[in-house]
Amino acid sequence: MNRRLRLSLSALALAACSSSSPTVPPVGTDAGVSDAAVSDVAAADVATDTGEAPPPMVCHAGTAWDRSAPAFRDATDAYGLAELTAKRMSTADLDNDGYADLVAWNDVVNTRTDFSLPVTGWLVRVLMNRPREAGAGRRFVEATRASNFLALRDGTTARGRLVTAVAFADVDNDGDLDAYTGTIPTAAPTATQDPDPGDRGTILFNDGHGVFALGPESDVTSSPDESPQTIGAVFNDQNLDGHVDLLVGYHSRVFGLPIGQQSQMFRGAGDGHFTDVTDAVGMTLESTNGSLLTVTNNRPLYGISACDVNDDGRLDVIGAAYGRQFNLLMTSRGEGFVDESEASGVGGDANRDFSDNQTYRCYCAAMPGRCPATVPAPSPNFTCGGRGTWNPSVDERPWRLNGNTFSIACGDVDNDGDVDLYTGEIAHPDVGANSDRAELLVNDTAAGGPTRFSRPGRTATGLVTPSGGGDEGVLSNAMFDFDNDGRLDIWSGGSDYPNQYGWLFAQGADGRFAEVSRAAGVRHACPLGVAWADFDHDGDVDMVVGTSTARTCGAAWMGRSAVRVYENVAPEANWTTIRLIGGGAGAANRAAIGARVKVTAGGVTQRRDVQGNWGLAGLATELPVHVGLGANCAIDRIEVRWPDAPHTVQTFTDVRANYPIEITQGSSRVHYLR
């Protein structure tokens, strides 16, 4: 149980009904829910008053951040992370004290953590969020060995398990967050690499205090290849039985191979056992070269996400594909999935003009008469041969004319009640405008219809990531409201190419974005892994950023994968943070992953979804959803659609802002947490 004091509010609530209870017509049904989904919604329209006094009203001025002072300060030293080096980050409340903790790692091929080294040389670190020993504030405390997070099945304690991807959820529905860790081994190491240690996907059980034990061996330890290139994983409840399932994404065993490894869906039994149901739910794609032409091949992925893009109460699968291939979108349709990758607009943009590709121009210059007049090819303006040769039978195909996508983030950017997407892409200047850039995809899906996304364009949205005159890249991304003004902002995490930084885009009242990373104090060179959470519980979202040392980044950071803590110090606006607790087996999973939350204040309704890890290697925010409220000191209405089979909806009214709150499925009360 959460250790913080809980105060109960006498709330007007819609008490949840079980599937066997009489169904009362749902209140405030959203247009975005299909008729079939609406008919399954169970709700009660009876107000309850417990008679308990609410906590004191807290109201902030709601002053908007005006860029006159940074919104973040570097608090790395204060949080005790000055010596930490890591490329990847994930965050979750590991010890159930209400504060988000950290897992940080360096994904070195085939290499386990050597505990005989000084702690600063460990490849994976578990760090608990604790109060500072003297004075106010928080700090992170070393807990890697004490947590047993890197346990080996043979009982060896001198080294710790290989970890390259992380995801968190309550696997056994006992009220704490368990974990999955994936690996990227290679069966053919180079002379400077260790042999494959044999570590594979692993479930870890949490004892509620942040100490982990290995779960049973099951199908999660298998993969479509003997050397699984796990690039990310996310827990979800695909069949809505109250037990979380697991989605794992893979790259390809041989770098550059156009056919990726088959992503896998594992059905959870609630006891740590998982069964591979990839084929049963219709996720299996073809693995032959011929399927590239019909876009039915497995893509080499760099990120995997699960978001409810069609608002039917089930999470859909989104894969970020590398090699200019179509991104993957498999939408839920009952117990199975439908591939809508290309038709939805998620797969790639509509630009098929490769005439400014410099390799193409080199080919045309060297092979006069081979290029059609309809695709003009002026002389190349760079040195030919730098990026290989042009192959018309491959490079002019639709499947080779998209982007190099690394991460896809989800969120309702325009407050219209559906989930939009933001893609993270790497683009090289010699490839030309045809190579997809990082951009916003706006959800245009009609209720019950096919999934459709439009691309308004980077100029129209203001989401232009600077290229620095060369390669442009976004490896990590997220949507969160850093200034609590009620509009989602976007983190566009840059890359390890020269002149690349983390770009923070603030959304204005007109829906356009402005790049503010320098003004905000988060212009971090070469960012890679990022974790977002309200680490100090002051009502705004903080960031912890890991750093790449590839290419020119090593010089920029003196050869260290430096970690920085950026503490949010933006002017105080109003906010709420909502932790959901599902009913468990037969209801919603305890972590409530997949729940949809709608918060109405001041006439504006914002949607937030409880989302597990996403994107490259398992990007993460804490599971409680954070909502900025601007100048609004009270919440008119909170609506929760639980991720259970009947799509149970509960609503709560007259909720006070500026407190973290907790809502338990079936309860008629909102609990305030202090």
Side-chain angles (χ1 to χ4, degrees):
M1 297 293 291
N2 194 296
R3 299 175 197 159
R4 291 173 294 174
L5 175 64
R6 297 174 180 175
L7 297 177
S8 298
L9 167 70
S10 55
L12 297 178
L14 293 181
C17 299
S18 68
S19 58
S20 60
S21 302
T23 300
V24 178
V27 178
T29 300
D30 297 305
V33 180
S34 67
D35 293 340
V38 169
S39 67
D40 289 337
V41 173
D45 194 17
V46 179
T48 59
D49 187 346
T50 65
E52 299 178 18
M57 176 73 76
V58 176
C59 190
H60 300 312
T63 304
W65 178 63
D66 62 4
R67 309 183 198 178
S68 62
F72 294 87
R73 73 179 184 94
D74 187 336
T76 309
D77 288 344
Y79 272 86
L81 297 186
E83 299 303 317
L84 178 65
T85 58
K87 297 177 181 177
R88 312 289 187 187
M89 294 285 157
S90 189
T91 187
D93 180 7
L94 302 182
D95 56 356
N96 226 18
D97 67 349
Y99 285 87
D101 307 300
L102 275 181
V103 178
W105 68 97
N106 293 280
D107 46 2
V108 182
V109 172
N110 286 4
T111 306
R112 289 172 166 172
T113 291
D114 184 352
F115 289 125
S116 70
L117 297 174
V119 66
T120 53
W122 296 357
L123 296 177
V124 184
R125 300 280 297 279
V126 176
L127 300 141
M128 294 298 185
N129 188 342
R130 297 279 187 261
R132 290 180 192 156
E133 295 176 358
R138 310 290 297 185
R139 67 191 303 267
F140 290 107
V141 176
E142 168 58 36
T144 309
R145 299 209 73 172
S147 71
N148 203 40
F149 192 78
L150 302 181
L152 293 168
R153 292 196 180 275
D154 62 6
T156 301
T157 59
R159 291 182 179 267
R161 197 175 62 259
L162 177 67
V163 172
T164 55
V166 174
F168 293 102
D170 191 348
V171 170
D172 52 4
N173 284 327
D174 67 348
D176 52 49
L177 294 179
D178 310 302
Y180 164 85
T181 65
T183 63
I184 302 181
T186 176
T190 66
T192 59
Q193 294 173 334
D194 293 338
D196 179 1
D199 298 337
R200 296 295 184 266
T202 301
I203 296 293
L204 295 165
F205 282 129
N206 192 341
D207 71 350
H209 303 286
V211 179
F212 292 86
L214 291 166
E217 292 190 76
S218 66
D219 285 1
V220 296
T221 59
S222 66
S223 79
D225 192 281
E226 61 185 21
S227 297
Q229 305 295 293
T230 309
I231 49 76
V234 59
F235 283 104
N236 62 94
D237 185 3
Q238 190 269 331
N239 64 341
L240 302 177
D241 67 349
H243 298 303
V244 290
D245 307 312
L246 179 65
L247 172 67
V248 181
Y250 303 101
H251 193 63
S252 57
R253 189 169 66 86
V254 178
F255 185 81
L257 188 70
I259 303 296
Q261 293 175 262
Q262 172 68 54
S263 299
Q264 290 182 287
M265 176 71 78
F266 299 101
R267 177 80 71 237
D271 60 358
H273 287 91
F274 286 80
T275 303
D276 187 349
V277 295
T278 309
D279 190 54
V281 299
M283 279 184 55
T284 302
L285 297 172
E286 298 178 30
S287 59
T288 61
N289 287 334
S291 62
L292 289 164
L293 302 179
T294 56
V295 198
T296 56
N297 64 294
N298 288 305
R299 268 71 111 194
L301 301 181
Y302 263 123
I304 194 83
S305 305
C307 314
D308 186 5
V309 299
N310 57 13
D311 204 21
D312 67 350
R314 294 175 183 265
L315 293 179
D316 308 300
V317 176
I318 305 170
Y322 184 70
R324 310 286 308 283
Q325 297 199 36
F326 285 100
N327 293 321
L328 181 69
L329 175 63
M330 305 198 80
T331 52
S332 58
R333 291 292 187 269
E335 292 295 310
F337 291 91
V338 174
D339 189 343
E340 295 189 275
S341 304
E342 186 177 4
S344 65
V346 172
D349 66 24
N351 186 351
R352 297 288 177 261
D353 179 7
F354 48 82
S355 61
D356 63 347
N357 185 304
Q358 299 301 306
T359 303
Y360 172 73
R361 292 184 178 185
C362 287
Y363 168 79
C364 294
M367 308 287 288
R370 292 291 184 94
C371 298
T374 55
V375 185
S379 299
N381 56 17
F382 90 129
T383 302
C384 294
R387 202 178 290 279
T389 58
W390 186 263
N391 183 346
S393 65
V394 172
D395 295 316
E396 297 178 15
R397 299 288 187 178
W399 67 267
R400 273 289 273 167
L401 299 174
N402 300 290
N404 297 301
T405 316
F406 281 75
S407 188
I408 299 178
C410 307
D412 184 7
V413 167
D414 48 11
N415 285 340
D416 67 348
D418 54 30
V419 172
D420 308 300
L421 306 176
Y422 179 72
T423 64
E425 313 272 0
I426 291 287
H428 306 293
D430 59 291
V431 179
N434 170 254
S435 186
D436 295 1
R437 265 55 173 185
E439 66 176 314
L440 180 67
L441 279 61
V442 176
N443 197 331
D444 298 325
T445 304
T451 307
R452 293 290 183 268
F453 284 85
S454 60
R455 297 175 181 246
R458 303 186 337 149
T459 301
T461 61
L463 290 165
V464 180
T465 49
S467 66
D471 299 280
E472 175 188 329
V474 176
L475 298 177
S476 63
N477 52 14
M479 301 181 185
F480 59 96
D481 185 0
F482 80 90
D483 53 1
N484 281 342
D485 65 354
R487 295 182 291 270
L488 284 178
D489 309 301
I490 289 179
W491 170 259
S492 185
S495 73
D496 48 25
Y497 283 97
N499 303 312
Q500 291 288 287
Y501 296 84
W503 313 113
L504 179 62
F505 290 92
Q507 185 179 178
D510 60 356
R512 282 181 52 82
F513 292 83
E515 199 281 303
V516 297
S517 55
R518 187 186 293 276
V522 290
R523 196 168 185 262
H524 187 107
C526 309
L528 197 52
V530 190
W532 298 265
D534 184 1
F535 291 109
D536 53 4
H537 280 196
D538 65 349
D540 48 38
V541 180
D542 311 302
M543 301 169 54
V544 182
V545 184
T547 307
S548 173
T549 55
R551 301 182 176 91
T552 61
C553 295
W557 289 97
M558 294 179 291
R560 296 179 69 248
S561 295
V563 171
R564 292 290 182 266
V565 179
Y566 295 105
E567 182 181 330
N568 196 323
V569 292
E572 286 190 336
N574 298 286
W575 56 273
T576 185
T577 299
I578 306 169
R579 181 192 182 199
L580 299 182
I581 301 177
N589 66 89
R590 283 291 295 271
I593 292 174
R596 185 192 68 190
V597 181
K598 292 190 173 184
V599 175
T600 302
V604 175
T605 298
Q606 299 181 63
R607 171 178 175 167
R608 300 288 186 271
D609 290 21
V610 180
Q611 184 181 352
N613 300 73
W614 75 91
L616 178 63
L619 297 167
T621 184
E622 56 187 340
L623 287 181
V625 296
H626 179 87
V627 183
L629 300 172
N632 298 297
C633 302
I635 300 167
D636 302 319
R637 174 184 172 100
I638 296 175
E639 177 188 286
V640 179
R641 185 180 69 192
W642 296 94
D644 60 8
H647 304 296
T648 304
V649 172
Q650 290 183 266
T651 62
F652 303 83
T653 58
D654 299 325
V655 180
R656 294 189 174 176
N658 302 308
Y659 288 93
I661 65 175
E662 182 178 270
I663 297 174
T664 300
Q665 186 175 17
S667 172
S668 61
R669 296 183 240 167
V670 167
H671 294 279
Y672 289 87
L673 310 176
R674 304 228 245 194

